[in-house]
């Protein structure tokens, strides 16, 4: 208890500023690792505050701490353990410095020079009695891939999501953040909105102007908190839901039956679509952005029933056909 009292409102010992460390260790930002650093403590504190209450027995995992500005804000909130996963080994000295400062204050800091896309959560966090927070100013290059991987983990209650209260507080390009949070009918509504909202409640917390970063990216940044739904919208297999939603949004401007129809061979497409939209009770002339999450799930459910009865159709891949428009070959989450 005494330690906890000491830890609350904790102050780190005097440290060089992040700006000084970047200079000292000559940490030039690498474009290929999407490095844009935050230097302003008020902004990094605000990001960490967006994660909500962090208890003294919680674990925080920070993705891509870089020179450690958000890391300092997290340490000031005194979690029991802080796990840092950073791909670029050049940041090791500045992160080690933070670890040393945290030691006398009974804060455990584990530094992993590793790729977050390959980081084995169950190995590094075997115990699930402690609450886990995922926080990060994400590298743009991997942010969408990372959350899609995490949604799959969430759907399977594995990795970081063996507990159902692991929240993610993450930055994205502002446009991507808006897509994640876009509601039914919004013009940004896309595949990523639906995928995010099947397993989580995304909340746009605030935006950070590009000029707050060094070097300045071309876009502004949005901070989103993704709160896992206590009751996800479906327990259908992740891969099947992903496939159906991807097909629906393949033709964004067309009636939703057009994209959905590409799940089936052309000769039977119209008849199957007619029947399945009826069964799902979905209007087939809605545009994809007008479909609710529940309607997408119903379309995935009837697709599953259909392929269970017709397993050959599950293997049909319209992209292997001739003359597929190139925009339909894209895996982009737009
Ligand atoms: N957190 C720091 C800040 O806010 O100033 C740096 C943020 S910077 C946008 C992204 C960080 O993620 C960089 O430090 C970069 O090296 C790191 N990074 C890039 N790809 C990564 C990956 N696959 N796994 C872990 N870290 C990665």
């Amino acid at each position: 208890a005494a330690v906890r009292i000491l830890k609350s409102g904790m102050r780190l010992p005097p440290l060089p500023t992040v700006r000084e460390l970047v200079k000292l260790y000559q940490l030039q930002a690498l474009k290929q690792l999407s490095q844009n650093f935050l230097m302003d403590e008020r902004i990094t504190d605000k990001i960490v505050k967006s994660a909500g209450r962090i208890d003294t027995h919680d674990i925080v995992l920070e993705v891509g701490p870089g020179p450690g500005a958000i890391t300092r804000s997290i340490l000031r909130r005194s979690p029991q353990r802080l796990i840092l996963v950073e791909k670029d080994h050049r940041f090791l000295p500045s992160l080690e410095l933070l670890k040393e400062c945290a030691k006398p204050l009974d804060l455990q800091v584990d530094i992993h020079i590793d790729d977050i896309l390959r980081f084995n959560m169950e190995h590094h966090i075997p115990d699930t009695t402690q609450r886990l927070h995922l926080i990060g100013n994400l590298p743009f290059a991997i942010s969408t891939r990372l959350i899609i991987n995490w949604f799959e983990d969430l759907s399977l209650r594995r990795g970081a999501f063996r507990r159902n209260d692991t929240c993610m507080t993450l930055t994205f390009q502002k446009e991507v953040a808006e897509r994640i949070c876009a509601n039914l009918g919004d013009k940004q509504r896309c595949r990523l909105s639906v995928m995010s909202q099947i397993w989580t409640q995304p909340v746009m917390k605030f935006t950070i102007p590009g000029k707050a970063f060094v070097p300045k990216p071309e876009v502004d940044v949005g901070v989103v908190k993704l709160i896992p739904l206590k009751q996800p919208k479906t327990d259908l297999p992740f891969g099947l839901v992903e496939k159906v939603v991807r097909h629906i949004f393949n033709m964004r401007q067309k009636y939703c039956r057009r994209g959905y129809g590409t799940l089936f061979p052309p000769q039977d497409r119209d008849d199957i679509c007619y029947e399945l939209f009826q069964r799902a009770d979905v209007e087939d002339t809605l545009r994809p952005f007008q479909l609710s999450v529940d309607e997408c799930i119903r379309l995935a459910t009837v697709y599953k029933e259909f392929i269970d009865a017709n397993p050959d159709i599950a293997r049909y891949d319209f992209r292997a056909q001739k003359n597929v428009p190139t925009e339909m070959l894209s895996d982009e989450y737009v």
Side-chain angles (χ1 to χ4, degrees):
V3 170
R4 243 171 247 150
I5 292 163
L6 268 178
K7 277 167 74 177
S8 62
M10 184 204 73
R11 271 169 189 270
L12 291 171
L15 279 163
T17 64
V18 174
R19 203 178 286 276
E20 283 161 351
L21 287 176
V22 166
K23 214 165 168 189
L24 178 69
Y25 295 117
Q26 300 185 347
L27 300 170
Q28 247 94 22
L30 297 177
K31 214 172 178 178
Q32 65 271 31
L33 287 179
S34 314
Q35 292 177 345
N36 305 94
F37 306 133
L38 282 168
M39 307 282 175
D40 186 337
E41 205 174 88
R42 284 164 307 180
I43 295 178
T44 56
D45 281 350
K46 201 168 164 190
I47 293 174
V48 177
K49 195 167 169 220
S50 300
R53 191 186 154 91
I54 296 177
D55 276 343
T56 45
H57 17 252
D58 290 354
I59 301 178
V60 178
L61 183 144
E62 187 191 353
V63 183
I70 298 179
T71 319
R72 293 176 186 216
S73 296
I74 297 172
L75 286 174
R76 282 194 285 270
R77 301 287 297 280
S78 319
Q80 199 265 323
R81 182 177 168 207
L82 171 58
I83 303 169
L84 304 172
V85 183
E86 170 56 62
K87 197 169 177 183
D88 186 345
H89 64 89
R90 296 178 308 149
F91 295 115
L92 201 49
S94 50
L95 297 176
E96 290 283 2
L97 186 68
L98 288 177
K99 179 176 169 153
E100 283 310 305
C101 292
K103 226 184 233 165
L105 299 156
D106 200 31
L107 300 179
Q108 182 186 341
V109 179
D110 301 329
I111 306 171
H112 298 274
I113 299 300
D114 203 348
D115 183 337
I116 189 63
L117 294 170
R118 295 201 316 237
F119 189 74
N120 186 332
M121 298 276 183
E122 294 184 16
H123 175 74
H124 293 289
I125 314 170
D127 183 4
T128 55
T129 54
Q130 289 169 287
R131 190 159 59 134
L132 174 64
H133 306 259
L134 302 171
I135 298 180
N137 174 16
L138 293 186
F140 291 156
I142 65 157
S143 59
T144 310
R145 199 152 106 232
L146 181 63
I147 58 164
I148 292 295
N149 288 355
W150 279 351
F151 295 157
E152 181 165 19
D153 290 347
L154 192 45
S155 76
L156 294 166
R157 291 260 170 264
R158 71 178 182 195
F161 302 94
R162 282 161 288 158
R163 290 172 60 118
N164 66 2
D165 58 355
T166 303
C167 290
M168 297 156 261
T169 307
L170 306 168
T171 61
F172 298 89
Q173 296 180 43
K174 183 164 168 265
E175 228 181 83
V176 176
E178 284 168 353
R179 281 192 212 142
I180 291 171
C181 302
N183 288 319
L184 185 63
D186 286 355
K187 77 172 190 307
Q188 295 102 325
R189 178 89 163 174
C190 67
R191 175 180 163 198
L192 187 57
S193 335
V194 173
M195 291 301 287
S196 304
Q197 293 165 28
I198 291 175
W199 288 282
T200 72
Q201 181 199 352
V203 183
M204 175 73 110
K205 288 294 191 174
F206 64 101
T207 54
I208 309 174
K211 66 178 188 311
F213 296 84
V214 180
K216 176 180 173 299
E218 274 162 23
V219 289
D220 292 342
V221 164
V223 178
V224 179
K225 181 172 182 185
L226 295 144
I227 307 163
L229 294 175
K230 292 273 171 281
Q231 195 60 52
K233 302 273 182 177
T234 184
D235 50 15
L236 286 173
F238 181 88
L240 179 129
V241 176
E242 203 276 338
K243 178 180 179 184
V244 172
V245 175
R246 173 160 36 92
H247 279 73
I248 291 173
F249 279 91
N250 252 338
M251 295 196 206
R252 293 179 51 72
Q253 307 305 333
K254 304 265 172 31
Y255 292 154
C256 60
R257 67 169 180 242
R258 290 286 304 278
Y260 188 77
T262 58
L263 288 162
F264 311 102
Q267 61 276 19
D268 306 318
R269 190 169 283 166
D270 290 347
D271 292 344
I272 300 172
C273 271
Y274 180 79
E275 189 197 320
L276 295 191
F277 272 85
Q278 291 269 317
R279 228 194 284 166
D281 191 22
V282 176
E283 185 70 59
D284 64 359
T285 53
L286 293 174
R287 315 274 165 182
F289 66 91
Q290 295 172 312
L291 288 176
S292 68
V293 168
D294 286 341
E295 285 169 322
C296 291
I297 295 296
R298 295 209 296 275
L299 288 170
T301 305
V302 293
Y303 174 71
K304 169 140 192 332
E305 289 164 3
F306 187 83
I307 57 170
D308 284 348
N310 304 274
D312 284 354
I313 300 286
R315 284 191 291 277
Y316 172 72
D317 178 6
F318 86 101
R319 303 204 302 182
Q321 313 303 306
K322 284 192 187 137
N323 304 325
V324 177
T326 43
E327 72 270 18
M328 291 179 56
L329 295 172
S330 161
D331 271 328
E332 284 274 302
Y333 267 82
V334 290

